[in-house]
């Protein structure tokens, strides 16, 4: 009986590994094709069947990207917008989440659930009203339009609130006994303990802004203000797409995000594990 259970367990484990391995290849194949295509000519990209390893590597594709479009300017705009949105979002979400987690006021829970319900509203629904507001304020073609509408995140408030609820109240009470005000307790006691959750939210926010395409596309016409995702659209024309240059530009755009994730992955795991956000 014991041997039968062991054999059954091994079969289940083997099947699980097979499914995971298959899923891994399904997810990684587009990235491998992207990297492979970035070293090909346009004719080689369109070859059928696909040649995964180019017969000749065209490293000049990466230099051509910087020649055809102002890649450095697009990267700079993306870094600036992503950084500003991430920092301000963390500040606003942290203060709102702490208020929902610790402060007692009438209608707190109802307000929180109403705020949380906005997560069910797709961005496409609010995009037109937001665009009209930006136009009314005269912010079209400005960094204001690229950043200010992105400062507020219901998901961020929810995530940080869940983390703050795990922090023992005794720590805050001890700080109060030592003479700390509510604000001092928040900045000196709560936020340092919430570092994993803050880093996790920061990574999610930065990644979302870095890959944002539709909103920057509709609020910017000036090339000097466009972000990298909008800038890569240059390689897609009415009569064709320069796939090799587009893939080279995409590889360049993804490298900072990959490096950032590798650097901060331990904080992401810790933040997700302790904030009640489960996959």
């Amino acid at each position: 009986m014991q041997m039968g259970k062991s054999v059954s367990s091994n079969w289940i484990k083997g099947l699980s590994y097979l499914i995971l391995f298959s899923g891994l290849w399904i997810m990684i194949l587009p990235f491998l094709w992207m990297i492979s295509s970035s070293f090909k000519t346009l004719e080689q990209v369109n070859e059928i069947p696909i040649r995964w390893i180019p017969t000749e590597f065209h490293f000049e594709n990466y230099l051509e990207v910087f020649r055809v479009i102002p890649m450095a300017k697009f990267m700079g705009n993306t870094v600036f917008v992503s950084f500003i949105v991430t920092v301000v979002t963390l500040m606003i979400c942290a203060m709102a989440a702490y208020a929902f987690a610790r402060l007692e006021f009438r209608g707190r829970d109802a307000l929180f659930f109403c705020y949380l319900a906005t997560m069910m509203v797709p961005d496409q629904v609010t995009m037109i009203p937001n665009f009209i507001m930006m136009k009314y304020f005269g912010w079209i073609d400005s960094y204001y339009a690229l950043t200010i509408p992105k400062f507020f995140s219901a998901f961020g408030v929810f995530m940080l609130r869940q983390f703050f609820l795990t922090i023992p109240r005794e720590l805050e009470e001890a700080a109060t006994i030592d003479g700390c005000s509510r604000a001092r307790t928040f900045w000196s006691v709560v936020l340092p303990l919430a570092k994993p959750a803050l880093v996790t939210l920061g990574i999610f926010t930065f990644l979302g802004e870095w890959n944002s395409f539709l909103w920057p596309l509709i609020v910017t016409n000036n090339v000097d203000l466009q972000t990298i995702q909008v800038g890569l659209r240059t390689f897609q024309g009415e009569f064709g797409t320069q796939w090799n240059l587009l893939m080279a530009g995409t590889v360049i755009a993804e490298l900072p995000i990959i490096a950032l994730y590798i650097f901060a992955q331990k904080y992401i795991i810790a933040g997700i594990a302790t904030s009640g956000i489960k996959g």
Side-chain angles (χ1 to χ4, degrees):
M1 179 66 73
Q2 187 68 27
M3 174 142 333
K5 288 184 177 179
S6 177
V7 172
S8 176
S9 176
N10 290 335
W11 271 102
I12 293 174
K13 183 181 294 186
L15 182 61
S16 300
Y17 286 148
L18 179 62
I19 294 174
L20 290 174
F21 187 74
S22 301
L24 170 66
W25 274 104
I26 291 174
M27 289 186 291
I28 203 173
L29 277 177
F31 291 97
L32 295 178
W33 183 84
M34 175 184 72
I35 296 172
S36 173
S37 299
S38 69
F39 293 106
K40 298 178 181 178
T41 63
L42 183 58
E43 292 75 18
Q44 291 173 337
V45 173
N46 293 323
E47 283 183 351
I48 300 295
I50 296 175
R51 187 187 299 272
W52 290 96
I53 301 178
T55 54
E56 182 180 355
F57 287 83
H58 294 270
F59 294 95
E60 66 272 13
N61 287 346
Y62 288 85
L63 298 177
E64 187 70 7
V65 169
F66 285 89
R67 189 190 69 82
V68 175
I69 63 175
M71 191 69 172
K73 181 66 176 177
F74 293 153
M75 291 279 284
N77 288 337
T78 307
V79 170
F80 174 76
V81 171
S82 301
F83 178 78
I84 294 297
V85 170
T86 300
V87 171
V88 178
T89 298
L90 286 177
M91 293 174 58
I92 293 175
C93 288
M95 290 186 288
Y98 185 73
F100 283 125
R102 288 291 190 259
L103 302 185
E104 299 288 342
F105 55 89
R106 184 185 300 272
R108 182 192 65 176
D109 294 338
L111 179 61
F112 175 71
F113 285 120
C114 289
Y115 189 56
L116 205 59
T118 61
M119 293 176 60
M120 294 185 290
V121 181
D123 290 339
Q124 291 80 1
V125 174
T126 60
M127 195 164 289
I128 294 178
N130 282 335
F131 178 81
I132 294 174
M133 289 176 61
M134 296 301 103
K135 185 176 180 181
Y136 177 79
F137 293 145
W139 288 353
I140 299 298
D141 260 342
S142 71
Y143 288 116
Y144 296 119
L146 287 171
T147 56
I148 292 178
K150 300 297 189 71
F151 285 164
F152 312 96
S153 170
F155 169 77
V157 173
F158 169 71
M159 180 179 177
L160 293 182
R161 175 185 177 272
Q162 297 303 107
F163 187 91
F164 290 155
L165 290 175
T166 66
I167 298 177
R169 288 181 178 269
E170 290 78 7
L171 296 176
E172 298 171 61
E173 293 171 356
T176 303
I177 293 173
D178 288 339
C180 290
S181 63
R182 175 73 74 174
R184 179 66 182 275
T185 300
F186 171 70
W187 289 105
S188 301
V189 177
V190 176
L191 285 188
L193 294 173
K195 183 178 179 181
L198 291 171
V199 173
T200 302
L201 178 58
I203 295 296
F204 287 163
T205 305
F206 192 90
L207 178 62
E209 288 308 307
W210 188 276
N211 291 326
S212 180
F213 171 75
L214 190 55
W215 180 250
L217 175 65
I218 67 175
V219 298
T220 57
N221 298 309
N222 189 344
V223 175
D224 291 335
L225 293 173
Q226 289 180 347
T227 58
I228 190 169
Q229 305 301 336
V230 178
L232 291 176
R233 186 175 58 98
T234 305
F235 296 116
Q236 292 183 290
E238 182 178 356
F239 301 104
T241 300
Q242 296 174 282
W243 289 109
N244 55 335
L245 299 185
L246 179 59
M247 293 302 104
T250 304
V251 171
I252 296 172
E254 291 301 315
L255 287 177
I257 291 299
I258 294 174
L260 182 63
Y261 178 80
I262 293 174
F263 173 76
Q265 60 179 330
K266 64 178 182 180
Y267 295 108
I268 296 176
I269 295 172
I272 293 176
T274 56
S275 60
I277 309 297
K278 304 299 181 183

